[in-house]
Every structure is written in C-alpha cells, then in structure tokens.
Amino acid sequence: MRHARRRIVRRGARLAAVGGLLCGGFMVTRAMAAEPSDASRTTASSAQAAADTGAGLVSRLGTARTAGNWIAADGRPVVAVTDADAADAVRRAGARPKVVPHSMQDLKSATQDLSSAPRVPGTAWAVDYTKNEVVVQADSTVSATDWKRMTKLADGIGDSVRMQRTQGTFTTRVNGAQAIFSTGGRCSAGFNVSNAQGEFILTAGHCGPAGSVWFSDNTGKQQVGRTVTTAFPGSDFSLIQYDSAQQTGAGTNVVAIGGGNGVRITGAADPTVGQRVFRSGSTSGLHDGQVTALNATVNYPEGTVTGLVETTVCAEPGDSGGPLFSEGIALGVTSGGNGDCKSGGTTFFQPVTKALTALGVTLAGQPAQGSAGGAQQAPAPSATAMASQGGAPGSAAPGAVESVSGEGAAQTFVSELTDPQNIGPGLLVIGGSVIALVATRFIRTEQDRNAYRRQYSQSWG
C-alpha cells in the first residue's frame, strides 16, 4: 500500500511539474516534433478563418450596424447586425447574421457609463455578443448597498445591461503553485519572448513588482531572472528577464500539456468569442473551455484591469501568468477569476498581442514584429529555431503535439509535502488527503489532455 501511494504521488507531482510553459534553460532540454498531416493543417486553421471572416465583416459594416462576431458551435462565423441590409451582406460573405436591437456603439456606451461610476471591488463586466447585452457580475464580497446602487445605475442605462450575482470571489491567482518562485508568491510562466535587449518570460503583472527575483525552485538556489517591467493594475502583464546563465535559445515556446507532451506555439493572435481554448498552469495543469467575451473589466481588490478576455476555462491559485492558447497560437496569460477546477468558474486573461506590443517584444523563435498590430502571424518556427530543438525545419504546424524531455527543476507543493525529509509528524496525518487530492487532480487533468487529443487528433504525434 505504501509503495502504491508513492507511485500515485510521484506521478501526480510529475504531471504538475509540467503544467505551465516549459521555459528555456531551466525546464526544457529538447523537443521533438512529428510532421502533421495536411488534414491537420486544415483543421488547425478553421477557427482562425472563421474569426477573420467575422472580424472583416464587422470592420466593413461598422460598429453602428454590427454588435460583434463569434464562432458558432458548428464552426461557422456569426455576426450580430442591426438592419436587414447588413444581414444580407453577411449572408453573401458566407457567414450567419443575427439581427439584434443594440449596436456595438450602444454596448460600448453602456460600459463607459459603468466605468465612470465609483469603483466597486468584486465586480466585473463584459459585452456578451451572443446575447447582445453587457453582463455585470458581482461576487460574494459585494455588499447589498453596492449591489443596489449598481442595479440602479444599470436600470438607468437601459435593457442593454443585465445584472448577475456570481459565486466565489474575483481574485488574482498567485499563491500555492510551483513553476517560478519569488518572495511575493508563486506563479506560472507564460511565454518566452525576446527583443534586442535579451530574453524574457512573459507572465502576469500581479505576480510581482519590478525588481522581483524569481527562482526555479522554492529553496532559492537556482535563480531564473528578475522582473524588469510590470503593468498592473490597468493591464496585467510583466517581463522577467532571464539571467545570463538561463538563456533560452531560439524556438523554445513549447507549452506542456502533461504526459510528456507539449504544444509548440507558432504565433500570436487575438481570440474570438465562441472559440475553444486551452490553458496550462502549474497548479491545475491543462484545462479547456470557450471564450465568452472580450474587453472585459474586472475590479480586483488590488485594482481595476480592463481589456481582458473572459472564458469558461477554470483556474486556481498559482496558475497566474500561465498560457492561454489554441491551435498552437498564443492568446493570453492568466490574470484571475473565480471558482476552481472542481466546481468550475470564470477566468480572465490578459491578451497576449496587447502585451507584446506594449512591451516591444516578440515570441521566442518568431520574427520581429512588423506592424503596430503586434499579432505575430508566422505559421511555424524558423528553420534555425527548429534545428536548435532537434526537429526538422517546417515540421511544426498549429496544434502539433511534441514529445518533451527533461524534468522541471522546481518542486511542486505536493512533492514538497511528500518529501520524507520535509514531512513532520503533523503532516503525516494529512497524507491520505494529499494522496486523494493528487489522484483526483491526475484524473481531471488526464481527461482534459484527452480532450485536447480528440480536438487535434490529426496532429497528435
């Protein structure tokens, strides 16, 4: 029985250790990519093609005649429109129109009214394109008085605003995880980025202020780097510059999804409402969900953050800064939310394109930004980048899965608890609970990894 428990704990610890991005010198030693089939390339680009069609129609018709676009359950692009002529134009373009009463101009005006009111921590709002309304959420910390005041404000704006109570609390996600450690807490690495000044980890801004020192282990023996730039609140992103001994080399953006596998990140883009997305974090591993809103505003206790991506993907403390991606494309880094990966919840993400543009960096292994938009559209890593990782040039495609080797140097919270050198008499009492927790998390993460495998079975190596 004792040996069986050790096997479960070790397997769970190994799974958690590759939950976040495999970051350069301290977590990745080699990555191999298999050549995906032509069918996988078509599947991988379908969501982006639908998003581009919808966004193009919105841009052409204008915000006075449209109210957003999204991807339907059948994969087709949908555009909300306010008149019959606009609906005809959408149909001719091969998309599906939905006639709605409020234009995007109306909805944006409503969010501006909400933003100009006195700030209430524990609230969040975003435009729900599919329902043509602004949804205002208030968590359990919002008092009855504040709820009544905000409801009165919403009533004054009109029927384009809907008030909604939500369980739990809207918090940033810092404590209780492995991956990167500082005196202020523990976070997940997001994406490796670079510019002419050096190489960096892109992660959440709330993880720590400028000057924070980060380690790959919780003993402080192996220093990874130092935070050189941070934006929080307002936005939620920061840069950790690698120490000279921890340089990543080109092409090291591989997001771990457990089981010794990772997904190569080949570019960056903005997500679309309705898009299926995946998040990897060092506390809860790999989980998936859908994008439900863009440009969300969240009033965290520490301050207000705007322009976030709202999703149904779960997250837990310690997942902060971890990568959001889909089809091998970087979409965001984890900011915060409510709930957990047992009961579910809402998670918000800092859009990665906005962070890349503001910081003047590009994804590692990708060409320098060539436009002010900041989105990197490179379909695959460069030949040099692939060669440095042991794969053939051009062998990676969006969503391709690779085998990864090398254990992370950082220990997980669970492995620390179960290390015989660290266990005290009191911790032995909760040993059974720890084992049950690890086993349960392993099962949940295995289910989500299988979901990814089903979604991209054509490109699974």
Side-chain angles (χ1 to χ4, degrees):
M1 183 64 179
R2 181 182 303 172
H3 294 301
R5 288 183 177 181
R6 287 179 180 172
R7 284 196 297 271
I8 293 174
V9 170
R10 287 171 182 166
R11 193 174 188 185
R14 284 199 301 271
L15 184 65
V18 293
L21 177 73
L22 301 181
C23 278
F26 72 96
M27 294 190 81
V28 165
T29 57
R30 187 177 178 84
M32 297 293 291
E35 179 70 34
S37 66
D38 290 339
S40 72
R41 295 179 188 275
T42 301
T43 301
S45 63
S46 60
Q48 191 60 51
D52 291 344
T53 298
L57 285 164
V58 168
S59 177
R60 179 158 62 90
L61 295 171
T63 57
R65 303 178 68 196
T66 63
N69 64 284
W70 61 93
I71 301 173
D74 61 2
R76 287 188 61 188
V78 181
V79 179
V81 295
T82 58
D83 61 73
D85 289 342
D88 289 340
V90 170
R91 290 191 192 94
R92 288 194 299 272
R96 182 182 301 146
K98 180 179 180 180
V99 179
V100 296
H102 307 294
S103 70
M104 183 56 71
Q105 288 182 352
D106 298 332
L107 298 174
K108 285 186 175 180
S109 176
T111 61
Q112 290 170 356
D113 289 341
L114 291 166
S115 297
S116 63
R119 176 179 176 273
V120 178
T123 59
W125 53 81
V127 176
D128 186 337
Y129 295 167
T130 64
K131 292 184 173 60
N132 194 231
E133 61 188 7
V134 178
V135 181
V136 180
Q137 300 183 67
D139 68 19
S140 58
T141 67
V142 176
S143 68
T145 300
D146 284 337
W147 172 257
K148 183 177 180 180
R149 177 166 59 83
M150 292 199 68
T151 300
K152 184 177 180 180
L153 173 63
D155 290 342
I157 295 173
D159 62 359
S160 62
V161 179
R162 176 167 61 88
M163 299 291 291
Q164 175 179 298
R165 276 284 193 179
T166 187
Q167 296 180 345
T169 59
F170 291 123
T171 60
T172 51
R173 308 289 196 174
V174 178
N175 300 318
Q178 72 89 44
I180 49 176
F181 300 76
S182 77
T183 56
R186 295 187 275 185
C187 278
S188 297
F191 300 99
N192 283 316
V193 297
S194 63
N195 62 17
Q197 283 69 51
E199 297 176 340
F200 311 85
I201 297 170
L202 174 65
T203 189
H206 71 262
C207 286
S212 298
V213 178
W214 294 91
F215 301 88
S216 63
D217 65 321
N218 60 358
T219 64
K221 294 179 180 178
Q222 187 172 354
Q223 183 170 322
V224 175
R226 183 185 302 268
T227 301
V228 293
T229 303
T230 187
F232 179 80
S235 297
D236 196 0
F237 54 81
S238 65
L239 281 182
I240 300 171
Q241 183 163 21
Y242 279 104
D243 289 346
S244 57
Q246 295 288 349
Q247 295 298 291
T248 67
T252 52
N253 269 318
V254 178
V255 174
I257 59 174
N261 290 306
V263 178
R264 182 174 292 278
I265 301 300
T266 60
D270 293 320
T272 300
V273 172
Q275 182 177 6
R276 190 180 187 190
V277 291
F278 291 82
R279 175 201 59 74
S280 190
S282 56
T283 297
S284 58
L286 180 74
H287 290 278
D288 74 311
Q290 284 189 322
V291 176
T292 52
L294 306 176
N295 297 314
T297 295
V298 184
N299 293 297
Y300 295 124
E302 302 93 332
T304 299
V305 180
T306 61
L308 297 177
V309 179
E310 180 184 294
T311 74
T312 61
V313 188
C314 70
E316 297 182 0
D319 288 330
S320 278
L324 180 74
F325 59 98
S326 180
E327 301 177 346
I329 302 299
L331 300 174
V333 293
T334 308
S335 175
N338 67 334
D340 55 36
C341 289
K342 182 177 181 181
S343 60
T346 299
T347 303
F348 299 94
F349 296 85
Q350 166 68 53
V352 73
T353 55
K354 179 181 177 181
L356 294 175
T357 300
L359 295 167
V361 295
T362 56
L363 291 172
Q366 299 297 307
Q369 299 179 57
S371 66
Q376 297 173 36
Q377 302 298 334
S382 65
T384 303
M386 287 301 300
S388 71
Q389 292 299 311
S395 63
V401 175
E402 310 178 356
S403 62
V404 295
S405 62
E407 288 287 336
Q411 286 185 292
T412 65
F413 175 66
V414 172
S415 65
E416 279 292 292
L417 282 178
T418 55
D419 188 332
Q421 296 180 350
N422 296 334
I423 293 180
L427 288 180
L428 290 174
V429 177
I430 63 170
S433 298
V434 171
I435 292 169
L437 171 66
V438 173
T440 301
R441 175 153 290 158
F442 170 77
I443 293 170
R444 289 204 307 268
T445 307
E446 189 76 13
Q447 290 171 342
D448 280 279
R449 191 163 64 249
N450 287 337
Y452 190 95
R453 186 169 186 167
R454 288 192 299 270
Q455 180 79 357
Y456 301 118
S457 59
Q458 296 286 353
S459 62
W460 189 273

